[in-house]
Amino acid sequence: MSTLQLSVVIPVYNEEQGLQTLFDRLYPALDKLGISYEIVYINDGSRDRSAAILREQFQRRPDVTRVILFNGNFGQHMAIMAGFEQSRGQRVVTLDADLQNPPEEIAKLLAKMDEGFDYIGSIRKQRNDSWWRHVASRAMNNLRERITRIKITDQGCMLRAYDRGIIDAINSCKEVNTFIPALAYTFARKPAEVVVEHDERAAGESKYSLYSLIRLNFDLMTGFSVVPLQMFSMAGIAVSLMSALFFVFLVVRRLIIGPEAEGLFTLFALVFFMIGITLFGIGLLGEYVGRIYQQVRHRPRYLVEAVLEEQDAVKVKQKRSKKAVAEDSAVSELFTDIQE
Ligand code: UDP
Ligand code: MG
């Protein structure tokens, strides 16, 4: 079991148009590496034919293919989590199903790992994304780096390689709404980054709306740091100090010049500004409370409907009648109960 050298984990959500091209490029690229590997696909509750296509591919290459079928859409990162839990390789590489990360680049990541690094991130050479995502992601990167001290040059690129030790550490975390590259970074002993090619989406369209990108970044900030809360306490102290000074000024002014009556709307502006900040603070607190709430509910993070994997020939015979085995060769579907 431990001799398996590489697991490739791929989340799939409504990717029916691009999957065949992915298979056509991925398998040859991995065969060329000359190491033992497995590919773990996670169907994240796709509403198109993705699941059926993955089943077909499993029938075609059951030796190196495993498929996890979720019974709903739990998000890219939960899908990768499930893939990590199922993976058996000494090293694990994550990849997007849309071919934005060329499978041929996996070799580059593994070569870097051979130098002794345990976590390899990647930086897209030329990003083929829309301009607003370009600008937004640069701004978010700066902010994130300051707040969380997690250095990921290009957080949008999921082509990454992890050593078994990091995968085990991640598997022992039962976090909800997490961001896997950041989590891995906090566990990494010796992280490194390499520059990789980045293509346009082969087919279909991006699954991330502006809203889900904003959500993702909130999760990143609040999931890995309490600095936003601390900044709020600091802001509170600053405002209190300033209003104390202002009060002293008004007292002095009243004694020297007399009472003031003007400036009503300046007061309004000030008060509205403060109310805005207070509301933002309550919302921020809510983000943390929400995370705590999600965590303490202990609900399963995802539900697995079925896992398709090749069974040990012996085990299959024990489980099924001879006829069923003959019908289905050595390939069997292992239906797991609600996992986790
Ligand atoms: N994905 C997923 N579940 C989701 C959304 C996306 O498994 O809810 C997968 C998707 O199939 C793809 C990867 O995550 O393999 C990245 O998604 P996408 O390409 O849409 O994101 P982008 O490249 O636009 O950031
Ligand atoms: Mg993509």
Side-chain angles (χ1 to χ4, degrees), residues 106-238:
I106 293 174
K108 204 187 265 178
L109 297 185
L110 296 179
K112 191 78 185 170
M113 276 200 133
D114 290 337
E115 291 172 25
F117 297 99
D118 59 349
Y119 165 60
I120 313 294
S122 60
I123 306 165
R124 290 169 280 187
K125 196 185 272 174
Q126 79 289 348
R127 287 185 60 168
N128 288 304
D129 273 325
S130 48
W131 66 268
W132 63 266
R133 286 191 62 165
H134 228 93
V135 175
S137 78
R138 186 169 303 166
M140 283 319 298
N141 266 7
N142 281 336
L143 187 61
R144 188 212 54 242
E145 221 164 272
R146 280 218 200 115
I147 290 181
T148 63
R149 294 179 189 286
I150 291 173
K151 282 204 178 56
I152 298 176
T153 312
D154 188 353
Q155 72 179 44
C157 191
M158 287 306 284
L159 179 62
R160 286 162 197 278
Y162 311 85
D163 197 63
R164 177 49 46 188
I166 293 180
I167 296 294
D168 289 341
I170 292 179
N171 285 345
S172 68
C173 298
K174 299 294 175 199
E175 277 192 52
V176 287
N177 289 335
T178 194
F179 187 71
I180 286 164
L183 195 57
Y185 184 91
T186 57
F187 295 137
R189 188 171 34 84
K190 219 175 153 204
E193 291 184 323
V194 295
V195 176
V196 294
E197 296 288 340
H198 185 243
D199 297 330
E200 250 162 274
R201 228 175 194 287
E205 53 189 32
S206 173
K207 309 297 180 296
Y208 279 97
S209 61
L210 178 61
Y211 174 75
S212 45
L213 278 177
I214 294 174
R215 278 291 350 143
L216 183 78
N217 281 295
F218 251 115
D219 285 339
L220 245 174
M221 305 289 175
T222 57
F224 290 91
S225 163
V226 289
V227 169
L229 279 182
Q230 291 164 345
M231 287 193 313
F232 238 85
S233 329
M234 290 304 161
I237 294 173

Side-chain angles (χ1 to χ4, degrees), residues 232 271-281:
F232 238 85
V271 167
F272 281 142
F273 177 67
M274 287 305 157
I275 290 176
I277 289 187
T278 314
L279 283 179
F280 176 64

